[in-house]
Each structure stands twice: as C-alpha cells, then as structure tokens.
Amino acid sequence: MAYIGLLSLLAVMLGLSVVLISLNWLLGPKKKEPYKTYPYECGVPLYDDTAQTTFHQGYYILGLLLLLFDIEVAYLFPWAVVYNYLGIFGFIEVFLFLLILTFGLVYAWKKEALDWQFDLESL
Amino acid sequence: MDIRLLLGSTNLYEFKYLLPEITVFVGAFVLFLLDIVMKNSETKKRIFLWISILFLALSMLSFSFKNEFFKDVFSGTYTIDTLGTFSKIFEIVLTLMVLPFLHTYMNKKNTFYYEVYYITFLGLLGMMTLSSSYNLIVIYVSLEMVSISFYIMTALFRGSFISKEGAYKYLIIGGISIIIALYGAAFMYGASKSLDIRAIMSSYNDTNSVYLIVGMILFLLAFAIKIGIIPFHFWLPDAYTAAPTPITGFMASAGKLAFFIPLLRLVPYVNQHLYSSWMISVSILAAITMIVGNALALVQSDLKRLLAYSSIAHSGYILSVLSSNSSMGLKAAIYFVFVYSIMGLGAFLVLSVLEQTEEWDNQLFKIGGLYRNTGFLSISFAVFIFALLGIPPTVGFVGKALVFLGLAIKNIYWLGFVLILATAISTGYYVRIVVLMFMKDVEIRFKPHYDVLENVSIGLLVFLTFILGMFPFVLWNGISNISEFLFKIANMR
C-alpha cells in the first residue's frame, strides 16, 4: 500500500499518453505529400537514396576528435568550479591533462586526420 | 592549497621503485614525439627500432637501482617483490626479442605503422604494473592498458580484412571481460570494504561469504576470458590468427605471462574455507581446456591457428596446477608460465620469418620439406615444437613433469591423467609438423630472408629452451624461493 501513489502516477502517465496520441491521430489532418516521407539531411538534398551507404572515413575521425575535446570541456567545468580551492595544484594537474589532449590533437594533425582533400592513392 | 599537502600521504622518494616503469613510459613518449616530428623514411624506421631497444635496455638497467625483496609502496597499491621484478625483467626481454621481427615483418608486408612501437611500449607498461600489484583498481587499469594495446595491435595489418575482423571480435569479448572484472571487483569491495586482494581474501567469513564469492567468481571469469580458458576462448584463435605474427608472439608470451601473474598471486590466499570450491572449479575448467584445446588443434589446417589452439591448451596446463593450491603447485605454475612464454614466442617468431616469403600462407602442408629450404629455421622450429610437446631435453618436459608433481602432491591424480591424455592428443599434431618438415618432399621452394638480429633472437630462444630444460635449477631456485615467500607472507596475515 505504500506504493499506491507511485502506481497511480504510472496509471496517469499511461492514460495521458494514450489519450494524447489517440487525439493526435483522430484530429490531425491527413494529407499525403511526397516530402513527408523524405529523409531529413540538414536541409540539403539527399546524397544517397538509402541510409545503408558507407560513410567517408573522415566522419569517424571527426567524431573521435569531437569526443576527445567534448570530454576535455566536460572535465574542465568541475575544475573551474573549485579552482580557488585547489589553487596551484589543480592548475598543474589540469595543465598536464590539457597537454596530453593537445598531443592528441597534434597527432591527429600530423597524421593528416584533419586534411580531407586526400586522393585515394595515398590510403 | 599547497601541492605538498595534497600529496602528503605520498612519499615522493617512492618513485624510485617505479624507475623501470617510468623508463618504459618515457620511451613511449619519446617515440611518440619523434613520430610527430620526423618525416617518414627508411632512416626513421631504423631509428625507431634502435631507440626502442635502447629504452628497453635502460629499463632493464634501472632494476639494479632498487634492492628491496618485498615492499608495499604508494599506500599498498603497488608491490615491489621478487615475482614482480622477475616477471617484469622477463617481459622486457621478450619484448626486446620481438622488436626486430616487428621491424622486418612490417617492412616486408608493406604495413609499417610507427605507432606500433609506442603501443608496444604502453602495453609493456601495463604488463609491468599488472605484474606487481594486489590492488583491484591498479589491476583493472593495467588490464585495460594491456588489452587496449592488444586490440589496436591486432588491427594493424594494412588492407587485411581478417585483421580487422579478429581485432573487432577481440575488442568486443575483451570489453565484456573487463566489464565482468569490474563488476566482480565491485562485489568484492562491497563485501570486504577493501581494495587489496590480500585483505579481501583474508576477510572471508560466513557473514559476507555470498557476495565475496560472487565477486571472486566474476573476477576469475574475466581472467579466464583473458587467458583463453575453454568455454571463453572464442576470441583467441581469431585474434591470434588475425594479428601480424610477431605481435601474436608478443600477445602469447609476454601478454599471457602478465595475465597469469594476478592469478598466481591469488593462489596463496585461497584458504581452507575456499579450498574445495576453488579446487573443483579450477580443475574442471583446466581439464576441459586441456582436452578440448588439444582436440581442436588436431583438426586445424592453418599453422598459426594450430599454434593458437596450442596456446589455449597450455593455459589449461598452467591452470590445472593452480588447482592444487600448494607451494609446490605454485612453483610449477610459475615455472610453466615462464617457459611457455619462451617456447610459444619461439614458435610464433619462426612462423613470422617464414611468412615473409611470397608463397607462404600458413597452410600446414606448405611446411613440407622445410628442412631443405632452410636448415636453421626448421631445426629451431622443431626444437620449439618438441618443447611444446614436452620431450625431455627441452623446457617443456620439465614444465609438464613439475605440473604433474604439483598435482600428485595434493592427490589430484585424475587431473594428472587428463594432463597425460591431453599431451597424448597433442602428440598427433606436433609430430605431424616435424614429420612434414623433415621427412617429406619439398612443397614450395623459397629462400627465407636473413636478418642478424632475428637469428640472434631465435638462437637465444633455442638456447634458453635447451639450457633451462637441461639445468632447470637455474630458474627453479629463484622460483622456489618466490613461491615459498609468497606462501609465507600469506600465512602471516
């Protein structure tokens, strides 16, 4: 009986979502248009007809680099919050952390991961 | 806040005990910087080889700067002891032997990546930390370090689909094993409120036993995946076949050695309450591994895959003697781990030299009449094969005899008979290789390439295979002390 509130919340959730979806389905206008089923690709025409094509390798490398620097920023926020408390120790630690990540960027740069205009011969 | 206050509990002078590890790390960093700075050329390849050899030699030298037999440093997270030092020296020597093969192999196969040198170094660093810690977190981080280096190195075969496939399988199953290890570590920590394996194992009593045992089972399962015990072995043949052959040798020797060390460290702490369950589970796994591993190797037609299955079977031999949980058993296990790393590495390295000829594709029948093509390689290959089989003047015999002794001392005779049966099965494929090499007509004619460093490496491994087999006490005296010392420390707690 202690969980009766939770159960009622669940019932309300389910009921509300069922009601909203069915209202949408009942009242919404139904017009067939070609662009409705057209896949969305950033406002430009599709490059390929299907979704199952091979992507350029560069996208993956870009994704990896994005992950790298995203995580860098994510770790910098908590450091910035307690900066006054940590002082010079925190500064050195973050400096080392950034240095390692910078080496990652330099590595990617030198290995021409950022250079997309390569010919197929060099692969 | 001052840096000294935060580092207050750490004694900075303790870093001197980490000198070999630091040297290897600095070596990796120097190679990385050189890779960024220098232009690709033949000179750069040679410079990389020699700088790697230089740093490994420096790391070996730096062992002489500390003279401690047993010491916990960094608040008990890192342990300096003889087993650790011994295995670290061994891992460095094995890496040194692999490097020249890596250089020529990648040159010949047109798949030269400079990254492979510093990834090897980082993997070696992981192995070194794995070999010398009782702390769950350090073990976890080093496991990740070794495994991730291995995933990358398995994939480093330019233009080979199989290489990518093997690396991907290894990545997925290795990732699962890491997760299982972490889960088990969490249970162990929750049950015993300690991260130190020694404290965890000593804290066993009836109130917390369930969670502790669940944690231990999960943790051991993860290690079983890493060392290739049979129900969990599926990644191993694929990854070993897919990797460039010198790297396969590196994984099968130094990697296997490093993965076994935490298990070996665990054995003295298996106390009376845990003994029967430990014995039953480990011995059954070992029996399955020995029989099935050898039976699967018997039907392989690919030489590299055959050696991979033989590596699985050898994991079984080592695991079988761990079930005896005695000082003698631990000695035999340590001895066998070390000698397997010698003979396994030798076999894979000979294969990597043969692979550098055009017509060679690792098919078993192609080894026919190898003796007429190259005397040195075929004789050294035969030596390693006989050692893996366990023929008397080689190390393999001493290893297997010691394993049998270790089992007999605790009256686990049935496992001893399984060991003999498995060895009998293995005779089938090992002897077939030797017969093909020496008694058949030439299948393909070729002249293998010649490199001084490679031949020195193979010659040294052959020498070790014989000398440690004929005079086993060279290694045995040290190992005997190590094992008794580990048991003494464990009983003192």
Side-chain angles (χ1 to χ4, degrees), chain B residues 79-93:
Chain B
T79 306
I80 305 296
D81 63 352
T82 335
L83 177 60
T85 311
F86 209 53
S87 49
K88 275 185 260 187
I89 291 175
F90 233 77
E91 281 151 12
I92 294 173
V93 171

Side-chain angles (χ1 to χ4, degrees), chain A residues 105-114, chain B residues 35-39:
Chain A
L105 180 64
V106 173
Y107 174 78
W109 197 342
K110 280 286 170 185
K111 291 283 167 180
E112 297 171 1
L114 305 175
Chain B
D35 185 23
I36 290 178
V37 172
M38 285 176 79
K39 286 256 183 298

Side-chain angles (χ1 to χ4, degrees), chain B residues 67-142:
Chain B
N67 36 14
E68 292 278 348
F69 288 110
F70 181 78
K71 192 170 172 63
D72 275 351
V73 291
F74 298 112
S75 342
T77 51
Y78 207 77
T79 306
I80 305 296
D81 63 352
T82 335
L83 177 60
T85 311
F86 209 53
S87 49
K88 275 185 260 187
I89 291 175
F90 233 77
E91 281 151 12
I92 294 173
V93 171
L94 294 172
T95 317
L96 262 177
M97 285 177 178
V98 169
L99 280 177
F101 291 87
L102 211 53
H103 179 78
T104 53
Y105 187 90
M106 291 196 305
N107 248 337
K108 201 86 178 177
K109 292 278 180 184
N110 195 20
T111 175
F112 206 98
Y113 289 99
Y114 296 96
E115 283 87 347
V116 83
Y117 283 104
Y118 45 88
I119 293 172
T120 309
F121 266 62
L122 291 176
L124 180 64
L125 178 65
M127 288 173 197
M128 289 165 87
T129 47
L130 190 59
S131 314
S132 48
S133 182
Y134 282 103
N135 190 284
L136 284 178
I137 292 178
V138 176
I139 288 178
Y140 169 73
V141 172
S142 358

Side-chain angles (χ1 to χ4, degrees), chain B residues 417-474:
Chain B
F417 288 121
V418 172
L419 173 79
I420 291 173
L421 182 64
T423 312
I425 298 174
S426 74
T427 316
Y429 59 91
Y430 286 137
V431 170
R432 185 162 62 196
I433 296 173
V434 178
V435 166
L436 279 173
M437 272 197 301
F438 288 94
M439 299 179 187
K440 295 288 181 214
D441 289 335
V442 182
E443 198 67 42
I444 47 168
R445 282 203 179 280
F446 63 92
K447 195 163 165 43
H449 87 119
Y450 180 85
D451 184 275
V452 180
L453 280 178
E454 287 187 358
N455 285 8
V456 167
S457 259
I458 291 180
L460 199 58
L461 284 168
V462 170
F463 176 73
L464 279 176
T465 312
F466 272 122
I467 214 75
L468 295 180
M470 285 189 280
F471 308 104
F473 52 81
V474 178

Side-chain angles (χ1 to χ4, degrees), chain A residues 84-90 92 99-100 103-104 106-107 110-111 122-123, chain B residues 1-3 6-7 29 32-33 35-37 39-40 44 114-115 118 158:
Chain A
N84 280 337
Y85 177 69
L86 288 178
I88 190 74
F89 172 72
I92 293 171
L99 190 72
I100 292 168
F103 275 119
V106 173
Y107 174 78
K110 280 286 170 185
K111 291 283 167 180
S122 68
L123 285 179
Chain B
M1 190 186 281
D2 197 26
I3 186 167
L6 254 158
L7 292 175
F29 200 69
F32 175 74
L33 287 182
D35 185 23
I36 290 178
V37 172
K39 286 256 183 298
N40 291 359
K44 184 180 172 185
Y114 296 96
E115 283 87 347
Y118 45 88
R158 200 186 296 257

